Amino acid sequence: MLDFIIKRFFQVIVVVLLALTVVFFLIRISGDPTTLFLPPDAPKDQIEEYKELLGYNRPLIVQYGDFMFHAVQGDFGESLRSQEDALGIVLSRIPATFQLAISALLIALIIAIPLGVLSAYKRNTVFDKVGVALTVVGQAIPSFWLGLILIYFFAAQLKILPSGGGGTAIHLILPTLTLAAYSVARFTRFTRSAMLDVLRKDYIRTSKASGVPTFRLIMRYALRNSLIPIITLVALDLGVLLGGAVITEVVFSWPGVGRLLMQSLMNRDFPIVLAGVFIIALIYALVNFIADVLYAYVNPQIRVK
């Protein structure tokens, strides 16, 4: 088990470093940030002086080596706009993003697990067919489009919910529903599949023939034995929600890491972008690492693969 944990942890480090490497080169070839911070008519010598100050006049590979040397120490430099610590700015936005992602995850579980259980128990009925159709639609709808539709109906037409912003629980409703929609569809389909596998087992048929009440049969025997793969999916989906929150935060002007990253990309504030990518990649990789370790602990066969 220790060898398995060490191997998976090494993979976490590799994933984070690769993410930083890819994003570093992508943003470097996207444009020169100095053009946004100097007047359009700035003389050439002033531009070159500013590039030298920022270190952008050096060869790209040298810039990359210097960046990685400081990044592994947690130093991503200062924001080009606010002159504040880039990593500190990103970390200050993490609570808002976690609040949105965890709220969406809880809503998805509350809705999806009962729907998946009922759909499996009432297999091939109208309820099951409607549920399957909704999961397909839920996974196909783009989150930004759904967010705009919800804003149109609940904010613009009915005027009962705010269209964006943050600070209160009511501001959380629309972005949470938008972000949770995909996970509801995914969890429902996965719960239905896991339940169908368990409901075909001999011990379920035997319990049913023995007169075990339906509710007890479903909740104690079937659902309980279906939870291991569902828990694994939930752990992995938390990372997906954190990454998917970027678009939702932009649509609803939610003050999280996603919106900060988009603003920083538009402003070519490279230290903020790289610090944000580091945090998101690290969280996503660690969530997957924890899920792998827990699954390997429950299922020892995974450790030898």
Side-chain angles (χ1 to χ4, degrees), residues 70-91:
H70 289 89
V72 296
Q73 301 176 58
D75 180 11
F76 290 85
E78 295 181 345
S79 167
L80 299 181
R81 285 192 170 271
S82 65
Q83 306 302 315
E84 298 177 22
D85 179 59
L87 186 59
I89 294 174
V90 173
L91 291 176

Side-chain angles (χ1 to χ4, degrees), residues 25-43:
F25 285 104
L26 285 177
I27 63 176
R28 279 296 191 272
I29 64 176
S30 66
D32 188 351
T34 58
T35 58
L36 296 179
F37 299 97
L38 292 175
D41 57 348

Side-chain angles (χ1 to χ4, degrees), residues 215-230:
F215 183 80
R216 184 181 178 186
L217 180 71
I218 295 296
M219 300 303 295
R220 183 171 180 178
Y221 297 104
L223 180 59
R224 188 173 183 178
N225 290 310
S226 303
L227 284 180
I228 291 179
I230 294 173

Side-chain angles (χ1 to χ4, degrees), residues 39-194:
D41 57 348
K44 187 175 181 180
D45 58 341
Q46 185 180 357
I47 295 176
E48 292 301 323
E49 183 181 351
Y50 191 63
K51 285 183 177 180
E52 184 177 0
L53 178 65
L54 297 177
Y56 293 133
N57 62 333
R58 297 174 298 169
L60 190 59
I61 192 65
V62 175
Q63 295 182 44
Y64 170 72
D66 184 62
F67 162 73
M68 293 301 294
F69 176 77
H70 289 89
V72 296
Q73 301 176 58
D75 180 11
F76 290 85
E78 295 181 345
S79 167
L80 299 181
R81 285 192 170 271
S82 65
Q83 306 302 315
E84 298 177 22
D85 179 59
L87 186 59
I89 294 174
V90 173
L91 291 176
S92 69
R93 300 291 189 97
I94 284 291
T97 297
F98 264 105
Q99 183 183 22
L100 179 58
I102 292 175
S103 299
L105 183 64
L106 292 176
I107 291 295
L109 290 174
I110 291 171
I111 296 174
I113 290 182
L115 283 178
V117 170
L118 286 174
S119 184
Y121 183 71
K122 296 182 177 294
R123 184 185 180 190
N124 295 328
T125 63
V126 174
F127 182 89
D128 181 32
K129 293 177 181 179
V130 171
V132 171
L134 289 177
T135 61
V136 174
V137 173
Q139 290 184 291
I141 294 178
S143 59
F144 71 89
W145 183 85
L146 177 61
L148 294 175
I149 293 297
L150 292 177
I151 289 174
Y152 175 76
F153 279 107
F154 293 100
Q157 296 296 318
L158 300 178
K159 301 184 185 302
I160 57 176
L161 292 172
S163 61
T168 64
I170 197 170
H171 289 89
L172 191 61
I173 296 175
L174 290 184
T176 297
L177 293 177
T178 300
L179 189 59
Y182 178 82
S183 293
V184 168
R186 190 180 181 193
F187 290 165
T188 300
R189 189 181 69 173
F190 199 84
T191 302
R192 177 183 181 274
S193 177

